[in-house]
Amino acid sequence: MKRLFIMLLIACSTIITISADPSAAPQKKPELVIFTLNAITQKFGLNEGQVYSVNRNPNTGIIESSIKIVPFHCSANRIKNDNVLNAVAINFPQNEPLAYQFLHVQPGSNEMFSLKVINNNGSSPTQSTQRIRTNKNQEMWLMCCKNPENPQLRDAYAIVWESDGVDVYGTVYMISSLRPDIYAKKLETSKNTFRIEGRVDANIKDSLYNIYIAETGEDLANIGDDDYVACVPVVNKRFEYQTELDHPVAGRLRCIFPDGELCSAWINLDFVPGETYRITIHNGYYDEDRDYERRVGRYSGKSLLNDKQKRGIDDVWGEKYVDVVVDDTTTIDSVAIIDNADAEAWKLPLKIKLESKMMTIKTGMETIKTTYQLLGNAYETKNFSGTNKTTAMIAKQNETLDANFQDVVKTIKKSPEVPLKEKVEVISGGYKEILKFYTEQNQLFTAMTKELGSLPKEFEKLQKVINKLIEKNMNDMSKMLTEMK
């Protein structure tokens, strides 16, 4: 029985992502999108800057990847008179049911976008990255479909453009390559693959990360600056690294700034086969993967690092905040798994409206986590004088978060096009996540009370606010379930 499952976990982005089962058959080509993109390249395409490549399996002759990139340019008046950009806005949504990923980014958004292009090469897969949306003045439409002839491939169709009012400059992308979900599943099944999935704060300019590996913590302490095993680029504020290991080793991440200078600080980690470490790096501190560290890392009793290595050089990447930060496993991410048969229930305008509101919630949660980190020094020194402004700020941030969440609930409840059953599933999932976030904060106060004997007055006031929000949301959820039966 087909069912729709949408969780209120919206990612920090300004794009709409619709995921369906990419293995479903039969599959048709998005003819309207293909026709529109070909019309644009034929009328306005530029010879300079074009890319066209095809890779075939040397044994079978079957295409394994192809890339067609055509920049275009014309006057704003001409492209307006030809209505081709209007055709993009009409035909991409028309062909959206054929896609398992569909994205539209408006000008003004800071969200950049890249596509992974994976080629099998007749042996092991190789991966490159194609940058699609590169600045916030561009509008972008993109859809990804299963290739009709070869279900191992993904067909991506995209167009980006920007206008200064006089001219329009843009690029058309038509790319076929190995489906990333298949490639990722192969990696996930490998018992020897260690991965790092990193994010970089929007306010810092890290451009590269050197990766170092040593057999022991002692060897890592003596490793030279130039003895790195990989240099990983930061693309759209993200970076990834993976390697095959047959046993745990000591590892290190060290930033290279845009001017080529090697950062004086670093992050030491345990690299463990079959595991993935997720990290977000800020200015002077980082959000560690707490679950990873508890299971196989520095808090597991299995770490190869000594106490000093766990803290990093001169405490620049130290652990002084770690015990007062809300668990970083709580995030609000967008997951929309929609069966083709039910996709019409959630119209594009509603998705856009919800995505915008939920991004506000995501930002609010991240802000609260960051504000808790301001209390790190007070917690370490057990001197809580002067923390009243910070705790009052956290209380206000949580109240604002709750108001924004209730706004989302109200929007879904008032959407007549969404079936009642799906409304209940979506809203219930949202309440569970928001209650989890408040509960984790309350657990922090419980741990502090256990260690200190009692809470400082500022923290008592903050805990009362959190407890009221927990009680309120539990009552609201119960009331909602009763009303919507």
Side-chain angles (χ1 to χ4, degrees), residues 107-118:
S109 166
N110 290 320
E111 185 69 21
M112 304 298 106
F113 186 80
S114 298
L115 271 178
K116 292 180 180 178
V117 181
I118 305 169

Side-chain angles (χ1 to χ4, degrees), residues 105 148 311 314 361:
V105 184
R311 297 176 67 86
D314 296 331
I361 292 179

Side-chain angles (χ1 to χ4, degrees), residues 157-361:
Y157 304 92
I159 180 171
V160 295
W161 73 85
E162 59 183 301
S163 174
D164 58 9
V166 178
D167 293 285
V168 173
Y169 299 88
T171 307
V172 168
Y173 300 86
M174 303 174 77
I175 300 174
S176 296
S177 65
L178 184 66
R179 276 171 38 198
D181 60 313
I182 295 177
Y183 181 61
K185 286 178 182 177
K186 289 180 179 179
L187 289 178
E188 289 171 2
T189 58
S190 173
K191 295 182 179 180
N192 294 327
T193 302
F194 167 75
R195 300 184 69 194
I196 296 174
E197 295 179 358
R199 298 178 61 187
V200 176
D201 193 296
N203 297 320
I204 62 176
K205 301 186 181 299
D206 296 1
S207 60
L208 297 166
Y209 280 89
N210 280 350
I211 308 294
Y212 301 82
I213 292 179
E215 285 293 319
T216 66
E218 183 179 354
D219 292 338
L220 186 66
N222 297 319
I223 206 164
D225 291 349
D226 296 328
D227 294 334
Y228 54 89
V229 298
C231 187
V232 181
V234 177
V235 179
N236 296 333
K237 299 299 179 182
R238 287 171 169 79
F239 64 94
E240 292 185 4
Y241 170 74
Q242 64 184 47
T243 187
E244 298 296 309
L245 301 172
D246 57 13
H247 62 278
V249 295
R252 173 176 296 170
L253 283 70
R254 193 169 183 183
C255 169
I256 300 177
F257 298 120
D259 61 1
E261 180 183 356
L262 188 63
C263 182
S264 60
W266 53 71
I267 302 170
N268 292 328
L269 303 173
D270 290 279
F271 289 11
V272 180
E275 297 285 347
T276 298
Y277 195 101
R278 297 172 177 86
I279 186 170
T280 300
I281 298 175
H282 304 280
N283 188 13
Y285 67 99
Y286 67 95
D287 297 338
E288 67 178 1
D289 190 329
R290 297 295 296 277
D291 177 66
Y292 181 102
E293 298 289 12
R294 291 188 187 109
R295 289 186 298 103
V296 296
R298 65 188 68 189
Y299 312 129
S300 67
K302 307 172 186 177
S303 178
L304 297 174
L305 308 173
N306 61 40
D307 288 341
K308 183 175 178 59
Q309 289 168 339
K310 291 176 183 178
R311 297 176 67 86
I313 187 170
D314 296 331
D315 274 340
V316 177
W317 297 104
E319 299 302 315
K320 62 174 64 179
Y321 303 128
V322 74
D323 291 322
V324 295
V325 180
V326 177
D327 192 342
D328 291 312
T329 60
T330 299
T331 58
I332 292 229
D333 257 345
S334 73
V335 178
I337 305 173
I338 305 176
D339 283 1
N340 288 331
D342 300 323
E344 286 301 309
W346 295 78
K347 300 295 184 181
L348 189 60
L350 175 59
K351 294 169 188 168
I352 294 173
K353 184 188 295 185
L354 285 176
E355 190 279 338
S356 176
K357 292 177 182 292
M358 291 304 295
M359 181 180 175
T360 301
I361 292 179

